[in-house]
Amino acid sequence: MDKSNELISIVAPVYNEEGVLDALYERVRAVLDGAGETWELVLVNDGSRDRSAEVIARLHAADERVKGLSFSRNFGFQIAATAGLDCARGDAVILTDADLQDPPEVYPAMLAQWRAGYDVVYGVRASREGETWFKVTTAKLFYRLIHRITSINIPLDTGDFRLLDRRVVNSLRGMNERNRFLRGMVPWIGFRQIGVEYHREARYAGEAKFTSVKKMLPFALDAITSFSYFPLQLATIIGFVMAAVSAVAILAVVLVRLLGPHEPLLGQATTLVAVLFLGSVQLISLGIIGEYLGRIYDEVKGRPLYLIQQSWGIPDPPLGRFAPPMGSASAGE
Ligand code: UDP
Ligand code: MG
């Protein structure tokens, strides 16, 4: 196959990564130029509060193959990645973290599998460096849970680092959900998928953003609600179990009343505990329904997925999904 006709896009969401971008560019360039590829690097600035936008502008001015996009505010990794995929023009698109935890040196192995006919080549973490015990353990538990309660098969120990063929990218562009969990959406799409093992390095500079429970919990909830009805079914299951227990208990009470000694059954504490237990189960069930309901509300509002403040080298950037077409006066250089 003639490499010269194929464009490879590298897409990296960027949030407060001013200290990383130069190194990212250098390593991407070294690897892809070394392999003789035609490529572009699409950096999506997700409302950074540091000088990331200026670094992107400078990199673009020095090398046209660096393209950039700045959001109007922070929209989160999943949406930044989506915007990057929307703007990338490559025949193959590699989605990567900007912090060099996903080493560019893995690209050739991914490209080789792509050229061998695979549509998705995801990075499998053979090892992790510089990450806390807490992060690694919660991630492990989370993926085991997802594995159990969803029907789609999310490969274990993979992140968002992956190569996507153009038709997979186009399929993703047709998926307009607001609560996006790309790690589940890509396996859902199907086609031929394969993993490539790599060693996840420590972050090059700056700070990790997904560290606290507060940051990771919404992500986990999005993932579960996007791909599983199990939490909703849980209420039904508990309901049936409780109904069965109650039926037995009612029968027992009646029998004791009719046949047993004629003393009243004592059990105020038991009643109280039973009421409290059922009350909690009902509140939790309501909360679970609320999680789904809130997400349905997000979908129904149909707001644009993201808003672009500025772009570098992207001719006609989308204003955001479902938003009205943009006039030519916006998104200046
Ligand atoms: N990121 C982003 N928006 C956010 C948070 C993070 O675009 O709101 C980017 C960040 O710049 C990096 C990637 O997502 O390129 C992964 O973030 P981080 O390294 O903090 O996560 P971790 O590697 O710890 O999972
Ligand atoms: Mg990282």
Side-chain angles (χ1 to χ4, degrees):
M1 206 182 289
D2 184 12
K3 280 184 180 182
S4 57
N5 299 331
E6 291 171 336
L7 177 67
I8 313 298
S9 302
I10 312 297
V11 168
V14 170
Y15 181 54
N16 297 344
E17 304 284 13
E18 59 178 0
V20 182
L21 295 177
D22 285 301
L24 174 70
Y25 165 70
E26 283 306 329
R27 273 175 66 183
V28 167
R29 193 182 58 153
V31 168
L32 291 178
D33 278 351
E37 305 283 355
T38 314
W39 57 274
E40 62 173 7
L41 173 63
V42 180
L43 299 169
V44 182
N45 173 24
D46 185 15
S48 297
R49 275 166 301 176
D50 65 358
R51 300 163 60 87
S52 296
E54 286 151 58
V55 179
I56 295 173
R58 173 166 54 72
L59 287 172
H60 170 68
D63 186 340
E64 291 242 296
R65 292 174 297 182
V66 179
K67 319 274 167 78
L69 206 64
S70 258
F71 281 172
S72 60
R73 63 170 171 84
N74 180 254
F75 280 84
F77 174 87
Q78 302 291 324
I79 293 180
T82 302
L85 294 177
D86 288 348
C87 295
R89 293 179 302 111
D91 301 292
V93 181
I94 297 177
L95 178 62
T96 173
D97 283 4
D99 59 6
L100 287 170
Q101 282 197 281
D102 310 325
E105 290 70 24
V106 185
Y107 301 167
M110 290 180 147
L111 289 167
Q113 293 288 21
W114 173 60
R115 293 197 167 107
Y118 286 96
D119 300 289
V120 175
V121 187
Y122 50 84
V124 180
R125 297 165 180 178
S127 69
R128 292 174 154 207
E129 252 174 66
E131 287 185 287
T132 60
W133 173 88
F134 176 74
K135 169 116 194 183
V136 175
T137 317
T138 48
K140 242 198 185 115
L141 283 175
F142 171 68
Y143 285 106
R144 300 294 185 279
L145 175 75
I146 286 277
H147 212 63
R148 283 198 88 107
I149 68 172
T150 62
S151 48
I152 44 146
N153 228 337
I154 301 178
L156 294 176
D157 298 317
T158 64
D160 288 297
F161 182 33
R162 60 189 69 207
L163 177 148
L164 307 171
D165 182 71
R166 172 47 50 189
R167 58 178 169 168
V168 177
V169 175
N170 287 346
S171 310
L172 275 175
R173 294 185 66 176
M175 292 161 79
N176 278 310
E177 59 232 67
R178 260 112 264 281
N179 293 292
R180 303 179 78 78
F181 179 58
L182 288 169
R183 294 175 196 188
M185 291 163 74
V186 172
W188 182 89
I189 289 175
F191 296 119
R192 278 159 299 172
Q193 314 212 352
I194 195 171
V196 164
E197 285 209 343
Y198 74 105
H199 297 280
R200 192 157 162 88
E201 293 174 11
R203 160 179 268 288
Y204 180 79
E207 286 171 9
K209 283 99 201 172
F210 297 102
T211 43
S212 65
V213 177
K214 210 179 132 206
K215 284 266 172 61
M216 290 196 294
L217 198 63
F219 176 66
L221 285 175
D222 277 347
I224 293 168
T225 51
S226 299
F227 287 98
S228 174
Y229 299 133
F230 179 72
L232 287 172
Q233 291 160 344
L234 211 56
T236 319
I237 296 168
I238 296 174
F240 272 109
V241 171
M242 293 307 299
V245 171
S246 315
V248 173
I250 289 167
L251 205 66
V253 169
V254 170
L255 288 178
V256 169
R257 198 84 171 118
L258 292 178
L259 311 172
H262 286 275
E263 286 157 28
L265 282 169
L266 295 174
Q268 271 197 34
T270 318
T271 314
L272 197 65
V273 167
V275 168
L276 284 177
F277 176 71
L278 275 182
S280 325
V281 169
Q282 283 169 342
L283 283 178
I284 293 169
S285 307
L286 273 180
I288 292 174
I289 296 172
E291 290 292 335
Y292 284 87
L293 188 67
R295 285 172 174 78
I296 296 172
Y297 186 45
D298 280 343
E299 300 295 338
V300 169
K301 279 187 288 192
R303 292 185 180 162
L305 209 51
Y306 50 83
L307 295 168
I308 294 171
Q309 181 172 348
Q310 207 183 351
S311 70
W312 298 271
I314 294 168
D316 191 11
L319 184 62
R321 297 180 179 221
F322 285 145
M326 177 176 62
S328 53
S330 39
E333 295 270 319

